[in-house]
Amino acid sequence: MAKFQSLKEAVAENLRDGDTVAFEGFTHLIPHAAAHEAIRQGRKDLTLIRMTPDIIYDQMIGMGLAKKVIFSYAGNPGVGLLRRMRDAIENSWPRSIETVEHSHAAMANAYEAGAAGLPCAVFRGYRGAGLKDVNPAIKSITCPFTGEELAAVPAHRPDVAFVHAQKANRRGDVLVEGIIGVQKEAVLAAKRSVVTVEEIVEDFDDLHPNLCILPHWTVTSIVHVPGGAHPSYTHGYYDRDNAAYLEWDKISADRDLFTAWMKENVLEVGPEAFAGRVKGL
């Protein structure tokens, strides 16, 4: 049953040192505010799962929260490398991290398997690909019905999943619109889930019943955080802040500049700062 909380309370109650955690959102609805609160609370030894690690995981890795990252494609979208992630891999700064790389298809199927309560995902993929030569978690199995060779990977079963969405109603149901990504599957696969939302409304009575809604019984905590996906976008609320992604490439290239930026923009501010960064909020 969903509980309405502050972001500080939701992170403190649901994210623990050593947890396996997913901060999911594909292109938009990336839960930056939630990840910043995890950084402020000093979580450590996390295993981070994400289909496309972007600047939010770059920040978490650069602040030393991660011991392992399970991912497909790590980059600053449209710009280039994740410089803090690369520094951790190549130079162990601020600490060394373990990496487990998959394809997008494998990550999506692993979330679906986790949501279904299955131990692994089975799908067509990785034929002729080199990833299985460096990732022992990628296996090949033979279909017992057709004899076809298929790929298998472990299901994603996070301890906790964080996602951002447009609305929650007073009962605790959550509306997700636009590019859905794997937010729904991440929540269903996780033991606990925290959803930050742009607004809380009385009910969804005026909405089409086939819209993507996470029912209240799938969600542990709901937090009202306007602008909580910035600098990614939230469909229907604000656009992607492309300038922020370009600026991050410069900030993340230098350890001292990165550290100073994180202190000023994350450690010394709260989630209310997100609304001030988004035009129109």
Side-chain angles (χ1 to χ4, degrees):
M1 186 67 68
K3 182 191 298 186
F4 290 85
Q5 296 182 291
S6 70
L7 189 55
K8 185 176 181 179
E9 291 170 336
V11 172
E13 289 188 14
N14 291 290
L15 181 61
R16 299 145 195 175
D17 290 348
D19 271 355
T20 297
V21 55
F23 290 81
E24 274 296 352
F26 193 76
T27 303
H28 79 146
L29 298 176
I30 298 170
H32 283 262
H36 282 186
E37 183 59 34
I39 293 170
R40 282 191 291 273
Q41 293 191 20
R43 291 296 178 266
K44 58 186 178 181
D45 295 330
L46 301 177
T47 295
L48 302 177
I49 305 176
R50 183 166 162 76
M51 278 191 65
T52 53
D54 57 6
I55 67 174
I56 193 56
Y57 273 19
D58 210 28
Q59 292 171 2
M60 297 179 78
I61 291 166
M63 294 299 287
L65 275 67
K67 70 174 181 181
K68 182 178 181 179
V69 185
I70 303 171
F71 69 101
S72 59
Y73 175 74
N76 182 345
V79 181
L81 300 171
L82 289 182
R83 298 183 183 276
R84 293 299 92 224
M85 184 174 179
R86 180 169 182 171
D87 203 8
I89 293 169
E90 294 183 346
N91 304 305
S92 299
W93 193 93
R95 59 169 293 176
S96 61
I97 60 170
E98 180 184 353
T99 59
V100 179
E101 187 174 1
H102 280 291
S103 66
H104 281 352
M107 293 290 289
N109 276 280
Y111 274 121
E112 278 208 350
L118 297 172
C120 67
V122 178
F123 60 102
R124 290 188 177 94
Y126 286 126
R127 291 182 180 177
L131 272 179
K132 60 184 179 181
D133 297 330
V134 296
N135 183 352
I138 300 169
K139 305 294 185 182
S140 294
I141 64 171
T142 301
C143 174
F145 303 105
T146 66
E148 181 182 6
E149 181 181 323
L150 300 169
V153 297
H156 290 332
R157 299 299 302 270
D159 294 302
V160 57
F162 289 85
V163 301
H164 189 71
Q166 279 88 351
K167 298 177 183 179
N169 64 21
R170 294 294 177 186
R171 191 173 69 164
D173 305 314
V174 175
L175 171 70
V176 186
E177 294 182 294
I179 300 174
I180 302 303
V182 292
Q183 289 97 307
K184 179 176 69 174
E185 289 77 11
V187 168
L188 295 177
K191 298 174 186 175
R192 304 178 298 277
S193 58
V194 176
V195 183
T196 55
V197 296
E198 293 293 328
E199 63 177 316
I200 297 172
V201 299
E202 287 301 318
D203 55 57
F204 292 151
D205 291 349
D206 58 338
L207 299 178
H208 193 284
N210 285 349
L211 287 172
C212 181
I213 295 177
L214 286 166
H216 59 277
W217 50 266
T218 67
V219 178
T220 308
S221 178
I222 293 173
V223 184
H224 183 213
V225 187
H230 181 269
S232 75
Y233 73 97
T234 293
H235 176 75
Y237 288 79
Y238 47 88
D239 295 332
R240 187 178 191 267
D241 188 347
N242 292 316
Y245 284 89
L246 290 169
E247 187 65 20
W248 182 252
D249 190 55
K250 302 172 185 176
I251 295 164
S252 62
D254 181 86
R255 292 176 183 175
D256 291 337
L257 186 58
F258 162 77
T259 302
W261 190 94
M262 293 299 293
K263 180 180 179 181
E264 180 180 353
N265 294 278
V266 179
L267 298 179
E268 295 181 348
V269 300
E272 64 279 353
F274 276 80
R277 296 169 188 164
V278 178
K279 294 178 180 179
L281 287 181

